[in-house]
Amino acid sequence: MPEQPPYLRIADVLRQRIAEHVWTAGDRLPSRAQIAEECGVGENVVRRAHELLISQGVLEGRAGSGTYVAEPRQRARVVRSSAREQPDGSPFRADMRALGKQGNWESRTEAKVPAPAEIAGRLGISEGDLCVRTVYEFLADGRPVQLSTSWEPYELTAGTLVVLPEGGPHAGVGVVNRMAAIGIAVSHAVEQPEPRHTTAEEASLLGIQKSALVTHIRRTYYSDQGQPVETADIVIPAALCEIVYEIPVGR
């Protein structure tokens, strides 16, 4: 078995001290130099351990002050399920209500945006074909907890009442319900989740540490004819949200 990277070992040491109440919520940790000397590692190793624990919500960095044990906080529960589309409501709002929070979102839509190569491949169109792109910030009690960038082929909805996902009589009802309004039955979605670190822009929008851990989900909706009708890049920060998948089981 490969040896554990030093920064993970130091992160485990710090986590254990918090679990044993050597440090409690609100306590300031010793300096990186002190921890490095005590543990026999370099300061860069301690820095990486701090960054990991900050991204997980265990520690909190305060500019010009140091690193502190974070106050315990409830992570938002984000449910991914084929049953989450609702005719008269939002799955995200339902998730937030279950936590006693108010869920909402802000969006910005641009029509006729040329599709980049990766998006074109996911939608089964040619690179440069026009798309409707919508950028979302999902909020829990006004605080950003999730980002998403959605792409739909412009040719699919052009000239209809659903061409703008957040405009018109079918605004905000979700991809499945909007497509149904123009006679397209969405049969399933494919999601590909993977962990990665935030970009600087994502960290700024989410109000989290740079390079914090997130789950990046590439989701694509398909019609019952097998045609991709929408694809999205969803970014969910590990420190703020837990992701739960509900898998329907047929008999």
Side-chain angles (χ1 to χ4, degrees):
M1 176 182 255
E3 187 177 351
Q4 187 181 43
Y7 80 96
L8 291 180
R9 178 173 62 82
I10 300 304
D12 285 344
V13 169
L14 302 181
R15 200 182 282 110
Q16 184 66 26
R17 290 184 183 178
I18 294 168
E20 294 174 350
H21 303 291
V22 176
W23 303 316
T24 58
D27 285 352
R28 185 178 184 275
L29 269 61
S31 69
R32 288 180 188 167
Q34 288 175 281
I35 296 174
E37 182 177 359
E38 179 186 345
C39 296
V41 296
E43 287 189 41
N44 279 340
V45 172
V46 179
R47 176 184 57 78
R48 290 192 67 189
H50 279 185
E51 289 175 350
L52 174 63
L53 294 178
I54 289 171
S55 74
Q56 295 173 343
V58 177
L59 298 179
E60 175 186 341
R62 300 180 189 174
S65 179
T67 305
Y68 294 76
V69 180
E71 296 286 344
R73 60 186 176 188
Q74 186 179 28
R75 296 163 77 203
R77 182 182 176 92
V78 178
V79 180
R80 317 294 301 173
S81 169
S82 61
R84 300 300 285 173
E85 287 282 349
Q86 301 173 5
D88 57 353
S90 157
F92 177 77
R93 286 195 177 112
D95 287 340
M96 295 304 103
R97 276 197 302 272
L99 293 171
K101 298 178 182 292
Q102 182 176 358
N104 210 334
W105 60 84
E106 297 177 355
S107 65
R108 183 180 71 255
T109 296
E110 297 175 81
K112 300 184 178 180
V113 178
E118 183 193 351
I119 297 300
R122 284 153 60 176
L123 288 174
I125 59 179
S126 298
E127 181 178 359
D129 281 0
L130 299 181
C131 288
V132 177
R133 180 178 65 192
T134 305
V135 177
Y136 292 90
E137 291 181 42
F138 290 90
L139 312 171
D141 287 344
R143 180 181 182 182
V145 294
Q146 180 179 321
L147 306 174
S148 178
T149 302
S150 165
W151 299 78
E152 297 177 0
Y154 178 70
E155 187 177 62
L156 191 67
T157 58
T160 73
L161 293 175
V162 302
V163 66
L164 301 178
E166 298 298 323
H170 302 285
V173 299
V175 175
V176 174
N177 297 313
R178 286 178 47 250
M179 293 299 160
I182 58 172
I184 297 174
V186 175
S187 63
H188 68 286
V190 174
E191 294 196 344
Q192 297 172 273
E194 65 177 7
R196 65 166 173 81
H197 295 285
T198 59
T199 65
E201 181 182 8
E202 289 166 348
S204 176
L205 288 170
L206 290 165
I208 58 178
Q209 184 84 3
K210 291 181 181 178
S211 297
L213 290 175
V214 296
T215 300
H216 177 185
I217 300 174
R218 294 177 176 87
R219 180 201 66 206
T220 303
Y221 278 112
Y222 292 85
S223 74
D224 57 359
Q225 303 299 311
Q227 177 188 14
V229 299
E230 187 262 8
T231 194
D233 290 285
I234 302 165
V235 176
I236 302 175
L240 303 181
C241 302
E242 63 175 2
I243 302 172
V244 178
Y245 277 85
E246 290 183 355
I247 312 298
V249 178
R251 288 181 178 270

